[in-house]
Amino acid sequence: RKEVEQDPGPFNVPEGATVAFNCTYSNSASQSFFWYRQDCRKEPKLLMSVYSSGNEDGRFTAQLNRASQYISLLIRDSKLSDSATYLCVVNMDAGNNRKLIWGLGTSLAVNP
Amino acid sequence: DTEVTQTPKHLVMGMTNKKSLKCEQHMGHRAMYWYKQKAKKPPELMFVYSYEKLSINESVPSRFSPECPNSSLLNLHLHALQPEDSALYLCATSGADTQYFGPGTRLTVL
């Protein structure tokens, strides 16, 4: 089983749609969790850190379910500019962010 | 925008060349990283520097040689690379919680 698994997609949705991505991780000792977005031929950029209580930033909501070992990202009212690859990232090292485990990414295309 | 810069943006080199990639950060972070990323794959960790000392080497071939001259700078020296080393090379830094990436150097080895 891969340490961090994501549905690669692609997800094709119309503008204004709500889309959700899930990510599962294998190590129950994992400590911190992130969603990054990466545009084609660009660097990954932090979208959100994910906390146990869940967190929201505008149209984006991230949730963590430690019991089931999955993380979700919800995007509401999708924009064309949301088209990108979304990478689920897990840190298994408490207090030390040195080695992240990356999912393979989920590709999103938002269509007019 | 993040305060991590990388030069050059693009680099084409032959297998006998020696070149260096440079990364500079102005975030005051004490951990710096080199990653390699191939198309449609996630970033793959190569090296980690913590307080200017190499703390992780992910069994990277010796044709890649990292250097951290000070807390703001990170270099990656390249020598005798192979065509399969062509990739996007990303530098990142972190404080307590999160890694921030530079824009990368797109390397092509002929």
Side-chain angles (χ1 to χ4, degrees), chain B residues 4-109:
Chain B
V4 183
T5 59
Q6 290 187 244
T7 55
K9 286 188 176 180
H10 301 276
L11 178 63
V12 179
M13 61 187 289
M15 289 190 283
T16 58
N17 293 157
K18 284 186 181 181
K19 296 287 184 184
S20 296
L21 310 185
K22 297 187 182 300
C23 173
E24 186 168 8
Q25 60 112 348
H26 300 284
M27 304 182 81
H29 292 163
R30 302 314 297 263
M32 297 185 76
Y33 310 75
W34 280 115
Y35 286 86
K36 172 183 177 179
Q37 188 175 25
K38 302 282 265 185
K40 300 191 186 301
K41 300 283 189 184
E44 181 184 333
L45 184 65
M46 300 174 72
F47 302 104
V48 181
Y49 273 82
S50 180
Y51 291 88
E52 300 159 49
K53 290 189 175 1
L54 183 65
S55 61
I56 296 177
N57 176 342
E58 289 287 290
S59 302
V60 179
S62 60
R63 57 186 185 268
F64 296 92
S65 175
E67 178 197 19
C68 188
N70 59 54
S71 60
S72 299
L73 294 174
L74 186 66
N75 299 323
L76 185 63
H77 302 297
L78 314 173
H79 174 54
L81 295 194
Q82 304 296 311
E84 59 264 29
D85 296 321
S86 298
L88 179 67
Y89 287 83
L90 293 158
C91 171
T93 72
S94 69
D97 191 48
T98 307
Q99 292 187 20
Y100 297 92
F101 287 81
T105 294
R106 190 158 296 281
L107 174 68
T108 303
V109 182

Side-chain angles (χ1 to χ4, degrees), chain A residues 5-71:
Chain A
E5 289 202 69
Q6 296 180 248
D7 181 347
F11 285 63
N12 284 284
V13 302
E15 271 187 290
T18 296
V19 61
F21 305 138
N22 288 328
C23 165
T24 58
Y25 59 95
S26 60
N27 188 336
S28 59
S30 299
Q31 296 293 322
S32 49
F33 309 88
F34 309 91
W35 284 102
Y36 281 77
R37 84 167 263 168
Q38 188 168 24
D39 293 279
C40 187
R41 301 180 70 80
K42 299 283 191 181
E43 76 275 22
K45 292 191 176 179
L46 178 70
L47 182 64
M48 302 178 79
S49 300
V50 189
Y51 304 113
S52 296
S53 55
N55 46 308
E56 187 173 314
D57 182 3
R59 298 181 293 109
F60 299 85
T61 301
Q63 296 278 354
L64 167 63
N65 184 320
R66 283 191 183 271
S68 301
Q69 294 180 209
Y70 81 78
I71 309 144

